[in-house]
Amino acid sequence: MGTSTILPDLGTQIVIPLCAAIGIIFSLIQWFLVSKIKLAHEKPSPKNGFNESLIEEEEGLNDHAVVRKCAEIQNAISQGATSFLYTEYQYVGVFMVAFAVLIFVFLGSVEGFSTSSQQCTYDSSKLCKPALATAIFSTISFLLGAITSVISGFLGMKIATYANVRTTLEARKGVGKAFIVAFRSGAVMGFLLAANGLLVLYIAVNLFKIYYGDDWEGLFEAITGYGLGGSSMALFGRVGGGIYTKAADVGADLVGKVERNIPEDDPRNPAVIADNVGDNVGDIAGMGSDLFGSYAESSCAALVVASISSFGNNHDFTSMMYPLLVSSVGILVCLLTTLFATDFFEVKTVKEIEPALKNQLIISTVLMTIGIALISWIALPPVFTIFNFGIQKEVKNWQLFLCVGVGLWAGLIIGFVTEYYTSNAYRPVQDVADSCRTGAATNVIFGLALGYKSCIIPIFAIAISIFVSFSFAAMYGIAVAALGMLSTIATGLAIDAYGPISDNAGGIAEMAGMSHRIRDRTDALDAAGNTTAAIGKGFAIGSAALVSLALFGAFVSRAEITTVDVLTPKVFIGLIVGAMLPYWFSAMTMKSVGSAALKMVEEVRRQFNTIPGLMEGTAKPDYATCVKISTDASIKEMIPPGALVMLTPLIVGIFFGVETLAGVLAGALVSGVQIAISASNTGGAWDNAKKYIEAGGSEHARTLGPKGSDAHKAAVIGDTVGDPLKDTSGPSLNILIKLMAVESLVFAPFFATHGGLLFKIF
């Protein structure tokens, strides 16, 4: 067994924090570039002031009033988003503390709170640190993960609300300028999040090592709390934010577009500020926490399995840190990739926007493949063994490279299939738009069919990557495949955050009463953003499937189950109940959006009916009440779905034991992935079918009528039905899958010793 790696341990200690630092510095540079666009008016510079000011006159750039109005709107959106997140985090903070106590009590009670060393779980000849230590350190890492997750979401929201108005103002100079601002701001969020997630995890590992010393098994078991913290915050962020944004969106659309025939984002619509706030708290803060959670969990799953393989047994630090090294290289690769969009090539026309964003994915994937090959060569010994359900399996370093690679490319395939099904440049969405001729019912039928059909290729991609990676490197292979999919997270998040930013930019342009030319530019940015948001959700769902399978494997190993036999009644009842959970969860979130939207619709109607001069534009609507309705509804409604996900593993583990819990996790994974993919693609397709009819870009689109035609109204209804699917239920499901798995893994020692009460009684 050759244990030596080319990269020395000291090299690893330097490379990981260095890459994280580079990521943070790069995001600050991008932020500085965005901040150079001023909101206050300035005199044109004298040296070429003449031609500059000519252009300014023509485009209405000198319109102080417009700039001031934009700044006011941006301020309202920013305040709304900040106050919502503060309120949400207060509630979530209480939960966080309570759950931390729960982790400590449950894990500490495994050995009856004794402080003496215990036998190791996997190697009984050695002594390991006491269970009480694992309880304390798991609690600390849970809190670390939760705080990092909250900060990632909050920073993302701050950057987005800072950049939206700057994108609007740049759109006056042309679509290319606006694109760069929106994209740069997305990159700020992507790099901050990737670098922070990596840095905090790395620091935690090194600090915990001071206490644990050579007991790596205990050390990395305690680190799993980091993933649990990240994802539990993401769940509340995603569900709360999703309910908020969709209540406002549905309310604004139904009364504004369908009943009153006023355009989207019209300043007369009382729900319009709440709608734009929602884009930031749902799509940005929620998405940020969600992908951070995936990232933390796939790293934790890989580390847990590695700690009981030859890496951990031989205390080989560099190869132990392989998952973190992959992420470090990912940051450098994404940095290069970002420069392609902002500096090497310039977007000049509307047609170049979508290709520019898609090229980001292709470039990052190709470069990352080279990066992974390099890291696998220098950071892994030529031959090593991986723990595989009780036995050690021999693996070569090129096999591990293939595991990461297959995950990376599966992510790209899922991204492109999602794009094909949700972009209005292709047949599927055009068919859905065409079905609007005969009303909303056919639109809904076609949209649902499209969503179900869009599951086929992604599922095959996930299945192939699972088969390949498991065959080569057992559960560790699956964990690193998930990491491969998430290794280009900085680029993925950049193109994802770009969507809501340009959506907001369009909203601000409409509310500030800018010219149609500018609104058309922001619409073009927004339509591309819709598709990239769908691609981002595809990534999140695909990676969630792999992550939760890896966590499932780690849980099964930790709970000392050798095989999960589907034919035993204990397991089968778990399987069938687990498969039902995503439906129960979706029902809760959809109904929450429905009831919150109902309140919103009533309020918007009330204002239109009781405020004199509102429709004429002489009186101002009361935006604050609508913002309050969304805030209250989402805070109240996010608790039950959250409780369902957090309590299920605990109840099943305590009363029915680890075998049934294994069944529940498998069932939830299998059914959750399908609903998540179909829900987000159906919603995305309906949204873009509506945009396709509105834009009237082709002969076919023009036959479906201008805004306000019957076909357009049918499309709006489809879009409204799809809203909770694509922005609340769909994206939250991937957190449900991961969260139940990581929670089961953290509590596995407790379930293994004290679980299954009901079966013990009989």
Side-chain angles (χ1 to χ4, degrees), residues 178-487:
F179 171 79
I180 285 185
V181 173
F183 187 80
R184 279 217 161 106
S185 326
V188 176
M189 174 183 177
F191 283 94
L192 266 185
L193 194 137
N196 274 342
L198 178 67
L199 197 59
V200 176
L201 182 60
Y202 178 73
I203 291 171
V205 168
N206 278 308
L207 290 180
F208 286 14
K209 221 164 87 190
I210 298 170
Y211 169 79
Y212 276 102
D214 279 349
D215 174 17
W216 284 18
E217 179 193 301
L219 164 66
F220 290 104
E221 192 173 294
I223 285 286
T224 52
Y226 185 68
L228 177 61
S231 248
S232 51
M233 294 306 103
L235 177 73
F236 291 108
R238 209 51 157 135
V239 175
I243 293 169
Y244 185 105
T245 169
K246 288 307 117 179
D249 197 354
V250 172
D253 283 0
L254 281 182
V255 185
K257 286 201 230 167
V258 180
E259 291 178 14
R260 294 278 166 170
N261 257 341
I262 57 178
E264 186 162 5
D265 293 321
D266 191 295
R268 291 170 292 181
N269 193 331
V272 67
I273 294 279
D275 184 6
N276 281 298
V277 169
D279 290 334
N280 293 302
V281 294
D283 294 348
I284 298 232
M287 189 70 187
S289 297
D290 179 3
L291 279 173
F292 165 74
S294 277
Y295 170 77
E297 282 159 347
S298 54
S299 307
C300 291
L303 291 170
V304 168
V305 181
S307 69
I308 50 180
S309 305
S310 66
F311 300 158
N313 298 339
N314 304 334
H315 294 97
D316 183 352
F317 185 72
T318 298
S319 35
M320 189 67 217
M321 289 290 117
Y322 177 70
L324 277 74
L325 286 166
V326 169
S327 307
S328 308
V329 172
I331 291 179
L332 301 182
V333 163
C334 291
L335 197 150
L336 254 181
T337 312
T338 305
L339 296 177
F340 274 97
T342 54
D343 299 283
F344 301 157
F345 300 106
E346 214 175 314
V347 173
K348 290 193 175 63
T349 61
V350 170
K351 288 207 168 29
E352 292 170 17
I353 300 172
E354 243 179 77
L357 292 166
K358 276 159 61 178
N359 289 342
Q360 286 288 301
L361 286 177
I362 298 170
I363 295 167
S364 62
T365 304
V366 172
L367 290 177
M368 192 62 208
T369 311
I370 304 165
I372 297 167
L374 187 71
I375 279 292
S376 305
W377 177 56
I378 64 168
L380 291 172
V383 184
F384 46 90
T385 63
I386 294 291
F387 182 85
N388 179 21
F389 298 124
I391 49 170
Q392 294 279 355
K393 175 185 168 89
E394 194 168 288
V395 183
K396 296 181 175 61
N397 58 5
W398 61 267
Q399 291 175 314
L400 212 47
F401 158 67
L402 284 180
C403 293
V404 187
V406 77
L408 179 67
W409 285 89
L412 186 70
I413 291 168
I414 292 174
F416 277 140
V417 170
T418 311
E419 196 240 355
Y420 173 71
Y421 279 106
T422 56
S423 163
N424 52 25
Y426 304 104
R427 275 295 300 279
V429 172
Q430 291 173 8
D431 287 347
V432 171
D434 193 61
S435 70
C436 292
R437 291 174 194 281
T438 46
T442 40
N443 180 23
V444 170
I445 294 168
F446 270 71
L448 286 172
L450 176 144
Y452 297 149
K453 197 175 166 190
S454 69
C455 294
I456 301 169
I457 300 173
I459 293 296
F460 275 117
I462 292 171
I464 291 167
S465 40
I466 288 171
F467 184 78
V468 171
S469 47
F470 193 93
S471 309
F472 280 145
M475 277 302 168
Y476 189 67
I478 292 176
V480 293
L483 258 181
M485 204 178 270
L486 291 166
S487 58

Side-chain angles (χ1 to χ4, degrees), residues 659-724:
E659 276 103 339
T660 312
L661 183 52
V664 168
L665 295 180
L669 167 64
V670 167
S671 88
V673 173
Q674 327 292 337
I675 308 179
I677 294 177
S678 63
S680 43
N681 288 352
T682 291
W686 275 328
D687 195 346
N688 272 345
K690 176 203 69 177
K691 288 239 175 9
Y692 174 73
I693 295 176
E694 285 177 354
S698 67
E699 202 44 56
H700 173 235
R702 283 191 285 276
T703 60
L704 293 168
K707 290 185 183 183
S709 69
D710 285 345
H712 177 245
K713 283 192 172 167
V716 169
I717 292 174
D719 174 33
T720 312
V721 175
D723 272 337

